[in-house]
Amino acid sequence: MNVYDHPTFRMACEQFDLVADRLEIPPAQRDRLKYPKRSMTVALPIQLDSGEVKVFTGHRVQHHLTLGPTKGGLRYNPAVELGEVAALAMWMSWKCALTGLPYGGAKGGICCDPTAMSSRELERLTRRFTQEMIPFIGPQIDIMAPDMGTNEQTMAWMMDTYSMHVGHTVPSIVTGKPVGIGGSVGRREATGRGVAYLINRAMDTLGIAASQATAVVQGFGNVGSVTALSLAKYGVKVIAVSDIHGGIFNRSGLDLWELEKHIAAHRTVAGFPGAEPVTNEELLLIPCDILVPAALERQVTRENASRIRCRILAEAANGPTTPEADVILGNRPEIFILPDILCNAGGVVVSYFEWVQDLQSFFWTESEVVDKLFRILEGAFTQTLGLSRKQGITMRLAALSIGVGRVQEAKRMRGLFP
Ligand code: GLU
């Protein structure tokens, strides 16, 4: 399957192979579990505001269809490639299985720079992509959601385009929509809130007092910013944050409410008064209790893994730690890892709630959503920690083993058709 060849896909396969060795999965079953079921790549010609026509490339990868429809985000980023999307789809499969959701994993991406496009251009691109995807998606086939570079507005355009095509309103075609058109309360905050909840559980496990703890957050998008604010509410001091324009650091703590105002005015954390500038690379090396990579994949690498100085590595991003870095971190038992498929699962869990509410046309209160979210995360955390301790394996290997094992078992129960 070298159509998916990409450093991130190789990384997801390496992680999978470690789990498959541990679970002693026979070779034929490995290939069935590992490779995406299907993918679609589309050319998206749209008219820019200048009048010029430009063709963008979009991908959607559906990893496995054994447990229900596929589920996963859509990202807009200049680095999007098919193999990267395939890796992210594979991680979605293990994440959904670990949290017990009735979904296979999927991911989509359009290679574009959303920060350099107008809202009209983004709308045309999103609608054209949705139109091209019509034979490939559906509320019982594949349900998209926001990811890097996309948001509630993107989902609203997708839902409108799909609904216009079928002739009636179909809110369950996407999740992460605005609440006014069938979105769920608490979806926007879900990923960051879940990350902070799990960090709090990890602090309990390690005996770290939140009021004494410091945190560093790489990436200040929806996930990073909500994580930082939620940690601050638990009493943690957030000392450094960053975005693509750079980072800011203040050992005595950043005023996150002032920072929000700065971002509203300047659209970046960079230049925030009362903090020193740091690069994204330097930020990862700042001594702290909690380090939260909440940006792109492959940030903790062979080069910096021996030099990060934290007690908890909370992977809010997908795939932030490379397998080489994992080997190094394996020899650093002082660092407790909350692996990505557990740490950032809050987003897809509340997406699942949104889909269920849309299918039933019956909507829940915020406290129902948050309560059910924490219950699912608590279960996944306890099971992962339990397996990790019982078998003396890393939290990542434990989480992946639970996820992969459940998909393997579902495939066994359903059998091979024909
Ligand atoms: N893009 C998010 C993730 O990586 C959410 C996916 C979803 O809600 O379907 O988990």
Side-chain angles (χ1 to χ4, degrees):
M1 287 257 178
N2 34 18
V3 25
Y4 297 116
D5 192 39
H6 183 275
T8 310
F9 188 69
R10 286 198 290 274
M11 170 178 158
C13 289
E14 263 180 64
Q15 289 179 347
F16 172 84
D17 288 335
L18 282 177
V19 177
D21 287 345
R22 200 191 139 256
L23 298 179
E24 296 177 354
I25 300 177
Q29 275 191 40
R30 282 186 197 217
D31 289 354
R32 230 180 125 196
L33 277 162
K34 179 161 46 173
Y35 294 115
K37 176 51 121 190
R38 56 195 187 192
S39 57
M40 181 146 134
T41 294
V42 289
L44 305 164
I46 64 148
Q47 193 165 38
L48 302 179
D49 292 345
S50 63
E52 181 199 342
V53 172
K54 189 167 171 191
V55 182
F56 293 87
T57 308
H59 309 282
R60 184 72 179 170
V61 178
Q62 298 172 358
H63 181 251
H64 81 80
L65 312 175
T66 311
L67 282 164
T70 50
K71 185 84 194 79
L74 170 68
R75 68 168 54 174
Y76 289 179
N77 188 275
V80 160
E81 283 183 48
L82 179 64
E84 183 207 31
V85 175
L88 292 160
M90 201 195 295
W91 286 324
M92 282 307 299
S93 286
W94 316 142
K95 192 189 303 188
C96 291
L98 172 65
T99 44
L101 308 184
Y103 293 135
K107 199 69 138 206
I110 301 181
C111 182
C112 67
D113 179 1
T115 61
M117 293 172 73
S118 73
S119 173
R120 290 285 308 149
E121 289 169 339
L122 287 170
E123 177 172 357
R124 283 194 286 267
L125 184 64
T126 304
R127 288 188 183 277
R128 183 67 195 231
F129 178 71
T130 311
Q131 179 65 42
E132 298 293 346
M133 283 287 144
I134 282 189
F136 207 49
I137 57 174
Q140 297 299 338
I141 301 171
D142 183 14
I143 305 120
M144 300 207 202
D147 196 269
M148 195 177 289
T150 56
N151 55 28
E152 290 181 6
Q153 179 60 73
T154 322
M155 295 302 117
W157 290 326
M158 295 192 85
M159 177 238 185
D160 183 66
T161 307
Y162 185 85
S163 299
M164 294 305 283
H165 174 83
V166 296
H168 57 94
T169 298
V170 188
S172 53
I173 183 63
V174 288
T175 59
K177 301 174 288 297
V179 173
I181 52 169
S184 176
V185 288
R187 172 61 186 88
R188 193 190 308 156
E189 301 80 9
T191 312
R193 214 175 235 168
V195 172
Y197 176 85
L198 291 164
I199 290 171
N200 207 27
R201 290 294 286 109
M203 285 194 289
D204 278 352
T205 309
L206 302 175
I208 300 172
S211 57
Q212 306 292 311
T214 54
V216 168
V217 182
Q218 184 200 42
F220 213 66
N222 177 39
V223 177
S225 62
V226 176
T227 301
L229 283 167
S230 307
L231 284 174
K233 284 186 194 148
Y234 284 125
V236 173
K237 191 162 38 166
V238 178
I239 57 170
V241 301
S242 68
D243 60 26
I244 43 167
H245 303 291
I248 51 168
F249 169 49
N250 185 337
R251 181 155 298 288
S252 7
L254 297 165
D255 183 335
L256 296 178
W257 284 263
E258 283 301 316
L259 181 59
E260 292 278 290
K261 290 186 211 154
H262 176 85
I263 295 169
H266 302 90
R267 298 182 65 185
T268 173
V269 299
F272 181 60
E276 290 170 40
V278 283
T279 65
N280 263 297
E281 295 73 44
E282 289 162 349
L283 179 117
L284 293 172
L285 304 178
I286 295 173
C288 60
D289 297 296
I290 306 154
L291 179 60
V292 187
L296 275 168
E297 51 268 14
R298 289 185 287 125
Q299 298 300 303
V300 181
T301 62
R302 188 203 321 246
E303 277 72 46
N304 61 10
S306 59
R307 290 180 292 136
I308 63 172
R309 284 196 275 159
C310 63
R311 303 279 310 280
I312 298 170
L313 177 63
E315 297 183 341
N318 289 307
T321 307
T322 64
E324 297 84 26
D326 252 341
V327 173
I328 298 167
L329 295 174
N331 293 319
R332 297 190 60 190
E334 74 278 16
I335 300 180
F336 182 91
I337 300 182
L338 280 168
D340 51 1
I341 63 164
L342 171 65
C343 187
N344 67 35
V348 73
V349 169
V350 178
S351 274
Y352 164 61
F353 297 161
E354 181 171 327
W355 180 72
V356 168
Q357 292 171 78
D358 288 339
L359 291 175
Q360 301 188 338
S361 300
F362 181 66
F363 291 88
W364 311 346
T365 62
E366 180 145 10
S367 63
E368 283 175 291
V369 168
V370 175
D371 181 55
K372 287 184 172 70
L373 165 66
F374 288 172
R375 246 189 284 168
I376 289 186
L377 292 180
E378 180 62 36
F381 178 80
T382 313
Q383 286 166 32
T384 305
L385 184 65
L387 185 67
S388 149
R389 287 194 167 159
K390 187 163 146 227
Q391 309 222 334
I393 56 178
T394 63
M395 285 289 280
R396 183 180 326 283
L397 197 54
L400 286 167
S401 298
I402 297 171
V404 173
R406 286 186 181 154
V407 179
Q408 183 197 14
E409 183 57 9
K411 285 194 185 286
R412 189 196 63 74
M413 287 189 275
R414 285 187 60 164
L416 189 60
F417 178 85

